[in-house]
Amino acid sequence: MNAFDLQIVTPDGMLFDGKAQKIILRTTEGDVGILAKHSNYVAALSIGVAKVVTEDGEKTAACSGGMVSVTDGVVRVVASTFEWSDDIDIARAEKAKEKAETRLESTKASDFEHKLAEIKLKKALIRLRVSSKN
């Protein structure tokens, strides 16, 4: 399978800079798979599972927010958060899930707090789902 240049960066810095054969990401319009020679493309990222395939195998990550672009064969992922499955703190993700569920059950939560709790719950569930794929 042909490879392409892939860069994955977050506010914490560069997480990946190398060759990949495939990347699958969740965008706001649905999942997208990118292979070598993909046409130029830009999309906003949503909360979801990301898969990166290299000659060494497949790595899975929890990804949320940001954008993906393909420009002249170079793929750049600029994500708000991008956590490889083996870097996820399961206890922290469980705690975030429980806190979000408690907030969602609260009758005192404002609409804004409720929506924020839904987003945090979705992020926690994705992190737990990805961490279980080790």
Side-chain angles (χ1 to χ4, degrees), residues 3-7 18-20 34-41 69-76:
F4 56 88
D5 291 322
L6 172 63
Q7 297 173 336
K19 296 287 187 183
I34 298 172
L35 301 170
K37 300 182 183 179
H38 195 287
S39 62
N40 288 347
Y41 174 79
S69 69
V70 181
T71 306
D72 299 328
V74 177
V75 179
R76 290 181 183 88

Side-chain angles (χ1 to χ4, degrees), residues 61-96:
C63 179
S64 66
M67 62 171 277
V68 58
S69 69
V70 181
T71 306
D72 299 328
V74 177
V75 179
R76 290 181 183 88
V77 176
V78 180
S80 299
T81 62
F82 195 97
E83 292 178 273
W84 297 113
S85 59
D86 50 356
D87 293 336
I88 292 174
D89 182 338
I90 296 171
R92 193 175 118 224
E94 281 287 351
K95 187 174 180 180

Side-chain angles (χ1 to χ4, degrees), residues 48-50 60-63 83-86 88 125-134:
V49 176
T60 306
C63 179
E83 292 178 273
W84 297 113
S85 59
D86 50 356
I88 292 174
L125 291 172
I126 289 294
R127 292 175 72 230
L128 289 168
R129 181 172 147 208
V130 166
S131 70
S132 68
K133 292 186 176 189
N134 282 334

